Amino acid sequence: MSRPILEIADICFQRQGKHILRNFSLSVKKGSIVGVMGPSGIGKTTLLNILNGLQKPDSGSVTYKNLEVTTLTKKQIYKLRANIGHMFQHGALFTHLNIFDNVAFPLRENTSLPDHMIRDIVLLKLEAVGLRGTAQMMPNQLSGGMARRVALARSIALDPELMLYDEPFTGQDPISTAILTKLILKMRNVLNLTSIVVSHDLNAVKDIADEVIILGRGEIIAKGSVAEIYSSKNAEVSQFIKGLPDGPIPFNYPNKHSLAQEILYA
């Protein structure tokens, strides 16, 4: 039985007095793929940022391979990130660097490999996401979907043990989505890579996840296999899965003032 590579215990995080995450706990086994889903603005990206040390929770702990992430120094976190790949929601490519140099960046920062080895690795990673031919292009010459695939190539450049994907399928056509899901599965099967995938794409997550969690009100409101999630009787889960306009999940962002008050104080 696989041992947990990541233990999240009672994480709480607030922003401007609003609970983003509340007593969030999760155990992730090595080699598993966990899908994290839920409405927009519910705290999914914040969770990934906390796991990678980009944000610090108000309380709780994150243990990665016996390292308590929330107590590490900046230098220790920098070293930790060599083992954690993070594909950011909007790609976060360096706009002043070409595609080759974007993917080569973590290799140059974290290793002393000679240039010819870096070249081989970069081209191999770009080949894996179907974009070897873009090596000399600039980020502004790529579509949004292509930029995300370059971001994926960069995030796996160091062959991490844990991958954090933030909306990897957004902006991808059906063929590209199928290729990415196949790649995520292949990396798990070949490298025993552990993955946490934040996504709204139900079909893609359904095809790759060993376990799915649904966030609501900063907490896990459902957790289980894909089949268990789809058969959940929870009203919020059902509304999200079925894409229903009416239900307990509001469309409007909560406002402490009524429309009349906004007009009055405008």
Side-chain angles (χ1 to χ4, degrees):
M1 185 175 181
S2 299
R3 295 181 58 188
I5 190 174
L6 184 67
E7 291 276 3
I8 308 164
D10 299 320
I11 287 294
C12 292
F13 182 84
Q14 293 186 55
R15 184 180 293 119
Q16 298 179 342
K18 175 181 172 60
H19 282 281
I20 306 299
L21 295 171
R22 189 199 312 262
N23 300 322
F24 182 95
S25 297
L26 182 68
S27 178
V28 180
K29 296 177 181 177
K30 184 172 177 58
S32 65
I33 300 175
V34 178
V36 180
M37 310 192 77
S40 298
I42 209 70
K44 303 184 296 296
T45 294
T46 298
L47 172 63
L48 296 188
N49 289 342
I50 289 174
L51 300 184
N52 203 19
L54 291 171
Q55 290 180 284
K56 194 169 183 177
D58 298 318
S59 61
S61 64
V62 175
T63 306
Y64 170 71
K65 295 180 65 177
N66 299 319
L67 285 174
E68 174 46 61
V69 177
T70 60
T71 63
L72 297 180
T73 64
K74 287 185 178 180
K75 186 176 181 179
Q76 290 171 323
I77 288 176
Y78 190 78
K79 185 177 180 180
L80 171 73
R81 289 179 188 150
N83 291 315
I84 301 178
H86 194 154
M87 181 181 174
F88 294 92
Q89 185 172 0
H90 300 293
L93 299 180
F94 299 114
T95 57
H96 64 291
L97 298 179
N98 66 17
I99 301 309
F100 181 94
D101 289 333
N102 262 282
V103 180
F105 183 83
L107 293 163
R108 291 168 174 160
E109 284 288 304
N110 295 281
T111 75
S112 55
L113 293 173
D115 287 345
H116 72 275
M117 290 188 69
I118 289 178
R119 177 184 179 277
D120 290 345
I121 293 171
V122 169
L123 295 180
L124 180 65
K125 302 304 181 182
L126 285 173
E127 180 74 28
V129 297
L131 292 175
R132 184 186 177 104
T134 67
Q136 299 307 314
M137 296 174 66
M138 299 299 289
N140 63 5
Q141 295 177 282
L142 304 181
S143 68
M146 293 170 69
R148 279 187 172 81
R149 286 155 63 191
V150 171
L152 174 57
R154 182 179 64 182
S155 67
I156 61 175
L158 291 169
D159 293 326
E161 292 185 75
L162 173 65
M163 266 298 301
L164 309 176
Y165 299 91
D166 197 351
E167 298 291 354
F169 311 116
T170 300
Q172 304 293 339
D173 60 66
I175 296 174
S176 296
T177 296
I179 291 172
L180 287 176
T181 56
K182 184 177 180 179
L183 179 60
I184 292 172
L185 284 171
K186 185 175 182 180
M187 289 192 295
R188 188 271 298 278
N189 296 336
V190 175
L191 305 174
N192 202 27
L193 181 66
T194 307
S195 300
I196 298 179
V197 183
V198 164
S199 179
H200 289 106
D201 192 321
L202 296 170
N203 290 326
V205 171
K206 174 172 62 68
D207 290 339
I208 61 174
D210 301 303
E211 182 179 50
V212 177
I213 66 172
I214 306 291
L215 286 179
R217 305 178 307 279
E219 303 172 319
I220 296 177
I221 58 174
K223 179 171 68 171
S225 66
V226 172
E228 290 171 332
I229 293 298
Y230 270 77
S231 62
S232 173
K233 302 300 182 182
N234 182 290
E236 290 179 76
V237 175
S238 181
Q239 182 189 359
F240 177 76
I241 294 296
K242 297 176 182 178
L244 302 175
D246 298 318
I249 301 174
F251 175 73
N252 294 317
Y253 191 83
N255 195 310
K256 62 182 179 180
H257 300 304
S258 67
L259 178 60
Q261 288 174 312
E262 291 182 13
I263 294 173
L264 178 63
Y265 293 113

